[in-house]
Amino acid sequence: MVIAKLLAARAGVAERAVYSRHLRRVWGVPGTLLGARAWPPLLRDKLHTSFNYWWQAHLLDCMIDGYQRSPSVLRKAAITKVVRGIRVRNVLGWTNDFYDDIAWLGLALQRAQHELGIAKPKALDAIAERLRDAWTDHAGGGIWWKRNDDFKNVPANGPAAIFLARQNDRTDLARARSIVDWVEDNLVDPASGLAWDGLHVHPTGEVREVEKNIYTYCQGVLIGACVELAKHGQQEKWLDRAARTITAVHDDLATNGVIRGQGGGDGGLFAGILTRYLAQAVLTIPELDPARHETADLARELVIQSAEAAWLNRVSAVSGPLFGPEWTIPADEREGRDLSVQLGGWMCLESAALLERHGLNVTGA
């Protein structure tokens, strides 16, 4: 039996560790913060010479999770500083050449506006316009991974679809549906039900090669997009797809209910992202279709078991716990240096704490 508010307390400990170890001003500019890439930080990390744009978007998302768990003036001020830090460090504007990067930031800024009233309309407009323009008919549709490239992938199409579905605009919602239909038709393995990474396109528009790597966060954004679209009609279609993917994750990408890790670097975020959208599925699916409680229970099990394993396998370090990229084994300090890995652990704990707040923290309850 999980003690009431235990998961929230764990998430708070993870939050404080990231705040104390990673948050630093951008080039000494007042009113700014960003997450240093690694800890202990080297000089280049302190100076933010390497800018992991999409890691910062997930830092912002995690900070918003923390605010929702325990609202405070200090948390809101820190979130405001990170938003400004991203803009300052990005130098020329809010966007870059990677459509997946800007979709992640767009999702975090949508939440900042909706949950905290931190509105950046110019940023959201710029991101929305860029994502709308990313769709082409090459390979039958979908959006590109980056500008002037030959690759279309789930890590760009998934978050873009969620972002556009949340724009509260009929045209954007239609585009979100088209994006997820394109992913379904081109990048979902009919045998396993899992989403592949992406595909390369000839200049003629024909598919050259499909990259069949399986990444946990691809499943997360596909689940998230289907759940988001189910709120706007065709519930059976979208919830069927979400349920299939959740089952496939449970069967093929988890060990005893614990989502498998995919290393440090960018991979440190993958499992955490999956838990974020599994938690949303747990909350949303029963509201839309109470008969699908088994799907929600399966998603809940994955979140709670993963969070428990991440916590039990942490190691103690300066200023708090240090998580590893693989939650089923004890963390290694060398593997936990990356901000991404710590955000992945924190994100997972916040996902479990969210379920706890809704009384859904005990598997099988």
Side-chain angles (χ1 to χ4, degrees), residues 63-118:
M63 294 172 75
I64 296 168
D65 291 340
Y67 179 88
Q68 287 184 306
R69 170 174 43 80
S70 182
S72 74
V73 173
L74 289 177
R75 282 187 173 90
K76 183 172 183 179
I79 290 166
T80 301
K81 290 177 181 178
V82 169
V83 171
R84 184 165 186 241
I86 291 170
R87 175 62 187 86
V88 169
R89 179 57 185 83
N90 204 47
V91 182
L92 296 178
W94 289 99
T95 61
N96 67 12
D97 287 338
F98 291 84
Y99 294 112
D100 56 342
D101 281 11
I102 63 174
W104 291 123
L105 181 59
L107 288 170
L109 291 176
Q110 280 178 328
R111 293 186 67 209
Q113 178 172 298
H114 183 260
E115 303 294 340
L116 289 88
I118 299 174

Side-chain angles (χ1 to χ4, degrees), residues 5 283 287 352-361:
K5 305 301 181 184
L283 298 180
E287 292 181 355
L354 174 64
L355 300 187
E356 180 181 58
R357 293 200 296 280
H358 286 82
L360 298 169
N361 52 302

Side-chain angles (χ1 to χ4, degrees), residues 1-8 10 304 308 356 361-363:
M1 189 77 173
V2 180
I3 300 171
K5 305 301 181 184
L6 172 62
L7 303 182
R10 290 176 176 179
I304 298 300
E308 185 71 8
E356 180 181 58
N361 52 302
V362 183
T363 303

Side-chain angles (χ1 to χ4, degrees), residues 13-237:
V13 171
E15 174 190 38
R16 289 191 292 275
V18 171
Y19 270 56
S20 63
R21 291 199 292 246
H22 289 274
L23 291 190
R24 294 179 175 272
R25 280 186 179 182
V26 182
W27 305 324
V29 177
T32 65
L33 286 173
L34 278 183
R37 188 187 190 283
W39 177 85
L42 302 175
L43 180 60
R44 65 172 181 262
D45 303 316
K46 295 177 182 178
L47 296 176
H48 302 292
T49 57
S50 177
F51 183 40
N52 297 85
Y53 179 112
W54 80 289
W55 294 16
Q56 307 300 328
H58 287 289
L59 168 64
L60 185 58
D61 244 344
C62 285
M63 294 172 75
I64 296 168
D65 291 340
Y67 179 88
Q68 287 184 306
R69 170 174 43 80
S70 182
S72 74
V73 173
L74 289 177
R75 282 187 173 90
K76 183 172 183 179
I79 290 166
T80 301
K81 290 177 181 178
V82 169
V83 171
R84 184 165 186 241
I86 291 170
R87 175 62 187 86
V88 169
R89 179 57 185 83
N90 204 47
V91 182
L92 296 178
W94 289 99
T95 61
N96 67 12
D97 287 338
F98 291 84
Y99 294 112
D100 56 342
D101 281 11
I102 63 174
W104 291 123
L105 181 59
L107 288 170
L109 291 176
Q110 280 178 328
R111 293 186 67 209
Q113 178 172 298
H114 183 260
E115 303 294 340
L116 289 88
I118 299 174
K120 294 294 177 182
K122 290 183 179 179
L124 288 173
D125 287 348
I127 290 169
E129 183 178 357
R130 184 68 65 86
L131 292 177
R132 293 174 191 129
D133 291 344
W135 173 280
T136 72
D137 291 332
H138 297 78
I143 72 168
W144 298 102
W145 171 51
K146 62 178 290 191
R147 300 174 90 180
N148 303 315
D149 197 61
D150 74 342
F151 195 48
K152 291 186 172 185
N153 65 355
V154 177
N157 280 271
I162 299 170
F163 174 86
L164 291 171
R166 291 177 179 173
Q167 279 289 95
N168 197 31
D169 176 88
R170 179 187 292 182
T171 302
D172 285 340
L173 183 60
R175 176 60 74 211
R177 293 188 181 109
S178 297
I179 287 172
V180 182
D181 280 338
W182 178 83
V183 169
E184 180 74 20
D185 293 342
N186 292 274
L187 290 174
V188 172
D189 182 352
S192 70
L194 295 170
W196 294 318
D197 182 27
L199 53 81
H200 294 275
V201 186
H202 279 298
T204 59
E206 298 174 346
V207 176
R208 175 167 60 84
E209 178 186 12
V210 177
E211 295 280 357
K212 294 188 176 182
N213 300 316
I214 300 292
Y215 298 120
T216 48
Y217 75 146
C218 292
Q219 320 317 314
V221 294
L222 180 55
I223 292 165
C226 289
V227 169
E228 196 67 37
L229 289 172
K231 299 175 184 178
H232 302 281
Q234 296 181 290
Q235 284 185 13
E236 185 174 0
K237 169 185 173 178

